[in-house]
Amino acid sequence: MPNTTTRPKRTRRQRRAQREDAARNELVSRSLESAQQCLFSQDYGTAFVHYLLVLNIAPALKDFANESFRFTLFKWADELDSLGRIQDLFDCYEQAMELFPVDEVIVNSMGEHLFRMGFRDEAAGHFYKALKLRPDFPEAKENFYRVANWLVERWHFLMLNDHGRNHKYQLAIQKAVEGGCNTVLDIGTGTGILGMCAKMAGASEVYACELSKTMYELACEVLSANGMADSIKIVHMKSLDMEIPKDIPNRVSLVVTETVDAGLFGEGIVDSLIHAWKHLLLPPPNTQEPLSSPSQTGRVIPAGATVFGVAVQCYEIRRHHRLCASTVGGLDLSAVGQIYSPVSCSADSEDSTEPYTTERLSRLRGGYILLTQPFTALDIDFNNVQELEGLCSREVTLLRLRVTQDGVLDGLAVWFQLHLDQDNHLSTGPQENTCWEQAVYPVQSSFNTVKCGDELLVEVSSKDTYLRLCCVAFVRDGQTFHLDDLNKGPSKVPTTNPEADLCSALAGLQTNLEKPSHTFLLECSEIALLNNTTYHNSFQKAMSKLLTSLKSTRSSQDSDPVYVLDVSEGFSVLSLMAAQLGLDSDEDKKLSTGLVQAYSSVEKEHHQAMLRLLAKGNGVPESTLEFWLRRMEDDSAVLQRPATEKLWSAIIMDCIETCGLIRQKLLEKAVFARCLLEDGGQIFPERIVIHGMLVESDTLLQESAVQGTEPTLGFNIAPFINQFTVPVHMFLDLSTLECTHLSEPVELFTLDLMNSTANYTNKDVKIQVSTSGKVTAIPFWYQIHLDSELSVSTFSADSHWKQAAVVLQQPLAVSRGEWVQLSIRLHKSSISITAVKDEGLGADE
């Protein structure tokens, strides 16, 4: 009987496909095996290539190979990074993200590499994308919070919440458009609010440009949400690169912009307006033909500005810009000569950095004292292109200011009035309720004591289109004293003020001594740290106690040195202080080793030069201080044994960032550090206790998120920019923050660096309300315990640290006597706090 189920014949194409499938499977199998063998031998580059081949040929294996592929990618990327093969590193991540476009771990890792290389905006974009892919991804969340300031700077929230500022711009734009300015260009549009004001006022054509990719994309979303995506053309570029008709079809009759900073010119408004007048704007009105049509002429909003200034005494400014202490922790600092911040306002300065810093004067700790009457420094007309072009070549103006009060000259504070048009003006003065800070030009001379009746000589210039104000001299009793000359030699100024600050007094003591000719620059935060004598003196006592304890436990035959490693960030003298403690003129009091062998992790050449000079000036032998990173092939290996079979006696860790946050991976580093300590050794600090309290603060809300549509003139902006809201607000000075304290301070959390078993990741704390109100934030600070007896607070008057606060997304209404439960969570050094009413406890219970 014939077979009724005969097998159909395979075609030649099917047989070829089957052979190809078999060959592909064989290739995949062999490549997977080769990848695993390469991983075993730590040949990550070859393993990565094999995985790429496998996953491109057999996409179905992506889930199976995902973890191994990630591991290989990260190892190979680290190796490429260490070799400086940056383009290859980026290429590998691009290939990986083509295979796994929605893998939040790979996207976040790419962001971390970008951030380490200085590409902050791009890094923040990757962290944001990783959070979009997985909102509860803790690593991406911590990374994003730390870099969000570069993605959408915090002043955007303040500016958009400044209804007065927004309304005056709206009035000026409306007046200009109704007056015939029908075509408008918004330079540096940000969220697009000024462009939308122009469209709402009836402008027929509105264009906008924005350089930041993040802000450009944000503005596009805002325009769409407000129904203006088709009526406002926005381009992602600098206005300086815009051309007609490539980017906009014709010249416009109105340019609106707010590309100004606290120093007025710092965001490049002069260059952008010169370019606009030459290439993008219609010509200005002809004064010879006053009847020319507004639609045929151009104008700018703001129309101009007037700059004001005043000389001030302010200890907070002083301690961030020049050395105010003669000794710290037993070290004489005079050996290094002059120490200044890099902020230079001299008209002759070759430094390309900004000549000023910015402060909100009304919030400076200790306040400030006016030493002169406010003065006018500059007037500028933004509608006069000849005046704008002549700004850089304008001769230096010399102002003579009469001192109205005895004091110490610490700086010149500067603000301005922005003339939007003839009727609308905005002031950035320190007494105004405005979104702007003020510019501060520090006086860095140690000879700065002035008395009523003196005259200050202030130079005003506009070099490189930066506004520069520099106090160059003062006149007393007809005699002129140049501050630069006074810095180079003994003071000729008679002592007339018994309350002269410490800097001037110390300088006066050196009248008959040969002064060091060295000059060093430190960052403002590093100078403030060096001026924190309480911290250094406390460390000296704690280190001395440890050395005494080690001496008592060591045998008399033990001749090994005491090894001390300082892994502080930036400039630090703690290693040198430890080395000095090993020196004692009384032989009987010496450690049995005779010396402390100290290691510093500072890596900048001028930091090392400063420590060498300090060592020489304080009698510390050069051989007792080494720079540890010179021994390291990889900075990540800084925590290593000091020598074969040797352990550290003390490891000094820099635990708190100046901004008020715990340093990243602090606990992980502490775990490793403990393994490298000898018996009786110590990590400094040994413990950190976090304290906090409940507060109500509209200021923190205004600086953290846009509050509805009322401040933004009814435009729907808040939901889009608030995507970049960061719950932890940094760089706070709680002592001057406008807020109501709703509770007493309480202990929130403890980090024990010497005992890992004492640590935890979550903690609930109950706190009783002392004043009725709305809990909007929980500020926090740290008590840094160097040992069991000595500690310093980051909230003290002389602290170089700022504070931070968790801002609640939804304020919590509370009444006096009620209890609030705080849930604190620590994940990889990032603190999160949630707050709820504790209904289980009644008032005053």
Side-chain angles (χ1 to χ4, degrees):
M1 182 177 180
N3 187 351
T4 58
T5 59
T6 56
R7 181 182 301 170
K9 292 184 178 180
R10 289 178 296 173
T11 66
R12 182 179 300 173
R13 178 178 298 176
Q14 288 173 325
R15 289 195 298 272
R16 185 170 63 249
Q18 188 177 40
R19 288 196 300 270
E20 289 175 353
D21 287 342
R24 183 183 296 110
N25 292 338
E26 178 67 16
L27 178 59
V28 168
S29 177
R30 288 184 177 181
S31 293
L32 273 178
E33 184 178 349
S34 296
Q36 292 166 357
Q37 290 174 350
C38 290
L39 283 180
F40 182 77
S41 60
Q42 298 184 348
D43 182 1
Y44 302 116
T46 307
F48 180 74
V49 172
H50 281 298
Y51 274 122
L52 284 180
L53 177 64
V54 168
L55 297 179
N56 276 294
I57 294 176
L61 294 177
K62 285 182 180 180
D63 290 341
F64 166 76
N66 180 250
E67 289 296 329
S68 297
F69 178 75
R70 281 181 185 168
F71 177 82
T72 306
L73 168 66
F74 299 157
K75 287 292 188 179
W76 179 225
D78 288 340
E79 193 171 321
L80 290 172
D81 195 354
S82 66
L83 294 172
R85 295 169 56 182
I86 306 306
Q87 188 57 55
D88 289 338
L89 184 152
F90 287 153
D91 289 343
C92 287
Y93 270 100
E94 291 297 335
Q95 291 169 316
M97 286 189 286
E98 286 179 9
L99 287 171
F100 297 94
V102 293
D103 188 311
E104 72 281 2
V105 179
I106 292 177
V107 173
N108 179 69
S109 179
M110 174 66 163
E112 290 176 338
H113 279 284
L114 285 166
F115 183 74
R116 284 198 294 270
M117 295 171 192
F119 301 104
R120 291 169 173 169
D121 193 66
E122 294 84 352
H126 279 76
F127 298 146
Y128 182 63
K129 180 180 178 181
L131 274 180
K132 283 285 191 181
L133 292 170
R134 182 179 152 198
D136 64 342
F137 186 18
E139 283 80 4
K141 187 177 296 185
E142 180 180 355
N143 285 331
F144 176 71
Y145 288 165
R146 287 181 179 269
V147 300
N149 287 341
W150 290 288
L151 200 61
V152 175
E153 294 182 272
R154 302 300 94 186
W155 54 260
H156 281 286
F157 297 116
L158 265 179
M159 183 184 71
L160 290 168
N161 281 320
D162 189 343
H163 180 270
R165 168 260 181 200
N166 298 334
H167 183 56
K168 286 188 176 181
Y169 256 101
Q170 183 184 42
L171 291 175
I173 292 171
Q174 183 174 344
K175 181 180 175 183
V177 172
E178 291 176 351
C181 296
N182 291 319
T183 55
V184 182
L185 171 62
D186 179 5
I187 294 179
T189 191
T191 58
I193 187 171
L194 300 186
M196 291 192 293
C197 284
K199 197 63 193 176
M200 288 290 288
S204 58
E205 298 175 32
V206 180
Y207 308 97
C209 63
E210 175 57 51
L211 178 61
S212 164
K213 184 171 186 265
T214 301
M215 293 306 301
Y216 163 75
E217 293 172 348
L218 179 60
C220 291
E221 290 183 304
V222 169
L223 294 181
S224 295
N226 288 273
M228 298 187 189
D230 296 329
S231 55
I232 298 178
K233 178 186 177 182
I234 179 171
V235 294
H236 175 216
M237 62 192 313
K238 291 174 65 174
S239 68
L240 296 174
D241 297 327
M242 292 181 68
E243 300 176 6
I244 291 174
K246 177 182 175 183
D247 302 301
I248 58 176
N250 299 293
R251 288 178 178 257
V252 297
S253 54
L254 176 65
V255 160
V256 296
T257 188
E258 199 193 40
T259 49
V260 294
D261 68 340
L264 185 61
F265 299 147
E267 288 193 17
I269 189 172
V270 173
D271 288 338
S272 62
L273 289 184
I274 290 173
H275 176 269
W277 278 115
K278 289 185 174 182
H279 303 286
L280 306 173
L281 260 169
L282 290 167
N286 190 335
T287 56
Q288 307 300 320
E289 301 177 15
L291 298 179
S292 57
S293 170
S295 63
Q296 298 173 350
T297 60
R299 58 176 293 194
V300 172
I301 295 177
T306 302
V307 179
F308 303 96
V310 69
V312 297
Q313 172 180 305
C314 178
Y315 178 70
E316 189 68 11
I317 293 173
R318 184 186 319 157
R319 75 190 187 103
H320 280 82
H321 294 281
R322 65 177 184 269
L323 189 61
C324 299
S326 60
T327 61
V328 293
L331 291 176
D332 179 2
L333 300 179
S334 62
V336 294
Q338 304 291 336
I339 297 177
Y340 301 122
S341 77
V343 183
S344 176
C345 52
S346 171
D348 299 325
S349 173
E350 297 299 326
D351 194 359
S352 60
T353 60
E354 290 187 354
Y356 50 84
T357 184
T358 62
E359 299 284 357
R360 191 172 295 275
L361 293 182
S362 60
R363 288 198 210 164
L364 284 177
R365 179 175 296 192
Y368 61 97
I369 298 172
L370 302 185
L371 299 180
T372 66
Q373 292 295 324
F375 59 89
T376 300
L378 180 75
D379 278 300
I380 184 71
D381 182 357
F382 292 142
N383 283 307
N384 187 328
V385 67
Q386 289 78 22
E387 186 174 332
L388 291 170
E389 288 181 316
L391 194 63
C392 290
S393 58
R394 179 184 292 190
E395 289 187 4
V396 175
T397 303
L398 184 65
L399 302 179
R400 304 178 74 94
L401 312 176
R402 183 180 181 276
V403 176
T404 57
Q405 181 171 337
D406 293 0
V408 177
L409 177 61
D410 291 313
L412 300 171
V414 169
W415 63 96
F416 55 86
Q417 187 175 58
L418 212 55
H419 310 302
L420 303 182
D421 57 19
Q422 291 182 339
D423 302 316
N424 295 285
H425 310 273
L426 292 173
S427 174
T428 67
Q431 304 305 321
E432 303 290 339
N433 183 19
T434 175
C435 59
W436 278 286
E437 295 182 329
Q438 292 76 49
V440 173
Y441 297 78
V443 172
Q444 298 180 332
S445 171
S446 299
F447 302 90
N448 48 29
T449 301
V450 295
K451 56 182 290 190
C452 184
D454 288 350
E455 270 193 326
L456 301 181
L457 304 185
V458 175
E459 290 183 344
V460 181
S461 61
S462 311
K463 180 182 177 182
D464 301 329
T465 63
Y466 272 123
L467 180 62
R468 297 175 184 270
L469 280 78
C470 184
C471 187
V472 295
F474 64 90
V475 180
R476 179 176 299 171
D477 299 329
Q479 189 174 2
T480 300
F481 300 93
H482 293 275
L483 298 187
D484 284 345
D485 294 339
L486 292 175
N487 275 336
K488 297 171 184 174
S491 172
K492 300 177 183 178
V493 183
T495 303
T496 57
N497 186 349
E499 297 181 357
D501 93 319
L502 182 58
C503 295
S504 298
L506 292 169
L509 291 175
Q510 299 179 3
T511 299
N512 298 317
L513 300 177
E514 183 179 351
K515 302 180 74 173
S517 59
H518 312 288
T519 299
F520 289 99
L521 296 182
L522 291 179
E523 296 299 324
C524 298
S525 58
E526 293 172 334
I527 294 179
L529 166 60
L530 205 52
N531 281 324
N532 189 344
T533 55
T534 300
Y535 172 65
H536 289 92
N537 293 342
S538 297
F539 174 82
Q540 181 194 32
K541 293 176 183 177
M543 178 60 72
S544 180
K545 286 171 58 179
L546 174 64
L547 297 181
T548 301
S549 172
L550 291 173
K551 176 185 176 182
S552 66
T553 58
R554 289 189 173 191
S555 66
S556 58
Q557 288 78 31
D558 190 349
S559 60
D560 286 340
V562 172
Y563 291 104
V564 176
L565 173 64
D566 179 9
V567 290
S568 299
E569 301 285 335
F571 183 68
S572 170
V573 297
L574 298 183
S575 58
L576 185 57
M577 287 167 54
Q580 188 188 48
L581 286 170
L583 307 175
D584 196 306
S585 58
D586 185 347
E587 193 69 25
D588 292 335
K589 292 183 179 179
K590 280 191 178 184
L591 293 173
S592 58
T593 59
L595 290 174
V596 169
Q597 188 64 43
Y599 297 84
S600 170
S601 63
V602 300
E603 53 185 324
K604 294 181 179 178
E605 287 294 334
H606 73 286
H607 286 172
Q608 295 179 6
M610 289 177 69
L611 286 180
R612 289 191 192 97
L613 283 172
L614 284 173
K616 182 178 180 180
N618 286 272
V620 179
E622 184 177 346
S623 60
T624 63
L625 177 65
E626 295 191 36
F627 298 107
W628 189 234
L629 287 181
R630 289 187 172 184
R631 296 186 171 202
M632 303 294 105
E633 294 183 2
D634 182 359
D635 289 359
S636 64
V638 65
L639 287 172
Q640 288 186 353
R641 292 172 178 266
T644 306
E645 301 304 321
K646 300 298 181 184
L647 295 171
W648 297 107
S649 305
I651 296 177
I652 304 162
M653 301 185 69
D654 189 6
C655 302
I656 309 299
E657 296 184 37
T658 307
C659 66
L661 298 182
I662 300 169
R663 290 206 179 272
Q664 286 185 301
K665 298 183 178 179
L666 172 64
L667 292 181
E668 293 91 331
K669 292 177 182 176
V671 170
F672 190 33
R674 282 195 301 270
C675 299
L676 300 174
L677 288 176
E678 65 170 293
D679 288 342
Q682 178 74 49
I683 294 176
F684 290 107
E686 69 170 26
R687 183 165 46 96
I688 298 171
V689 179
I690 306 172
H691 296 267
M693 64 191 308
L694 309 178
V695 302
E696 178 177 353
S697 174
D698 286 339
T699 299
L700 284 179
L701 291 179
Q702 297 284 320
E703 294 180 357
S704 300
V706 174
Q707 305 298 310
T709 60
E710 191 275 332
T712 55
L713 311 175
F715 293 120
N716 186 19
I717 297 176
F720 304 96
I721 194 166
N722 287 352
Q723 296 176 83
F724 301 93
T725 295
V726 175
V728 179
H729 199 88
M730 303 174 290
F731 288 108
L732 292 178
D733 192 332
L734 188 53
S735 66
T736 60
L737 176 68
E738 295 180 20
C739 67
T740 301
H741 294 187
L742 302 183
S743 75
E744 296 297 320
V746 298
E747 181 178 317
L748 299 180
F749 213 82
T750 298
L751 305 176
D752 195 323
L753 305 188
M754 286 295 293
N755 182 6
S756 61
T757 60
N759 285 320
Y760 40 84
T761 57
N762 299 278
K763 185 181 179 184
D764 291 336
V765 175
K766 292 182 174 62
I767 180 169
Q768 191 170 31
V769 177
S770 58
T771 303
S772 299
K774 289 190 302 181
V775 180
T776 56
I778 300 99
F780 57 91
W781 60 96
Y782 312 91
Q783 194 73 25
I784 301 175
H785 294 264
L786 300 174
D787 59 22
S788 59
E789 298 174 341
L790 292 163
S791 68
V792 293
S793 172
T794 65
F795 191 22
S796 63
D798 56 356
S799 169
H800 63 281
W801 293 285
K802 296 294 187 181
Q803 294 82 55
V806 172
V807 181
L808 302 183
Q809 290 186 343
Q810 296 294 330
L812 187 65
V814 294
S815 300
R816 184 178 184 274
E818 290 183 330
W819 292 81
V820 173
Q821 178 168 300
L822 303 180
S823 296
I824 303 111
R825 182 172 183 263
L826 182 73
H827 180 270
K828 292 191 175 180
S829 307
S830 179
I831 291 179
S832 62
I833 303 176
T834 57
V836 295
K837 282 188 187 180
D838 193 327
E839 304 295 348
L841 294 175
D844 296 319
E845 187 171 330

